[in-house]
Amino acid sequence: MPDAVKPKGRRRLSAAERRERILAAATEVFAEHGYADASMGEIAQRAGVVASVIYDHFASKRDLHLYLLEHHGQALIERSIHAVTPGSPEEMLRESIGLFFRLVEEDPFAWRFLFRDPPADPKVAAVWRRIHDAATAGIAELTELATPGIELIGGIERSTAAVMIARASQAATNGLVDWWFEHREVSRERVTALAVAILWDGFGRLLEQARAELSP
């Protein structure tokens, strides 16, 4: 009788593949539990590796968390702010909000990870704040780009108003996403349309007021 066919062994993951599994698992665990309550053991279990393998890539839980903050934070800014095409204020608002909600739909754990309350660890909290401030600055730049020639918005100097609008926009969109995270039966298109309607109603009125004041 011919020898029995031996089952093929499981392919050994490369170091790069193990790293990607660790990053994906860590994003989920940090998103679900927060920095303080996340354990390297649970991250290792979800990644399908032993805990010691994580330390081959990251010296500590803090280093892993800091790397993910930088990674996901930069991706958020690039994909929902820097990727916006210059155009009319309404067009830019619609595109930016649409990109943001698409990103959340594609990677909800990354959003949850970034927008949980800042960790108590001072070093991690400082990086968290820097990333969020960079996002605010990026939205403020879009606001200024969309309003050339308007020196006052709502009676406030344009650059100051742009930062205020950016912070208000972030609060509104993140509040809506926080709700949507638990109510995914509502489509991304409907949530996006509602966010745009809310934000454009306020921003559009401010622009109308500013333009009326500029009219002779």
Side-chain angles (χ1 to χ4, degrees), residues 86-149:
S88 71
E90 186 174 5
E91 289 170 342
M92 293 175 69
L93 175 67
R94 288 184 180 279
E95 183 177 7
S96 180
I97 296 299
L99 290 170
F100 180 73
F101 276 91
R102 183 179 294 278
L103 185 153
V104 173
E105 182 179 58
E106 293 174 354
D107 201 348
F109 285 111
W111 170 82
R112 187 69 166 171
F113 167 79
L114 284 171
F115 289 93
R116 289 188 69 99
D117 292 337
D121 182 299
K123 186 173 182 179
V124 178
V127 174
W128 184 95
R129 172 50 56 197
R130 175 171 56 79
I131 289 169
H132 282 257
D133 287 346
T136 300
I139 297 171
E141 288 176 10
L142 288 182
T143 302
E144 290 204 70
L145 182 64
T147 58

Side-chain angles (χ1 to χ4, degrees), residues 25-35 38 46 65 68 108-114 116 181:
T27 299
E28 290 188 13
V29 173
F30 284 131
E32 292 173 357
H33 302 301
Y35 175 72
R46 291 203 194 188
H65 197 278
L68 288 171
F109 285 111
W111 170 82
R112 187 69 166 171
F113 167 79
L114 284 171
R116 289 188 69 99
F181 192 82

Side-chain angles (χ1 to χ4, degrees), residues 158-180:
R158 188 163 66 112
S159 61
T160 300
V163 173
M164 295 169 65
I165 290 167
R167 291 297 297 271
S169 299
Q170 287 174 302
T173 52
N174 288 323
L176 190 53
V177 172
D178 189 49
W179 178 88
W180 187 44

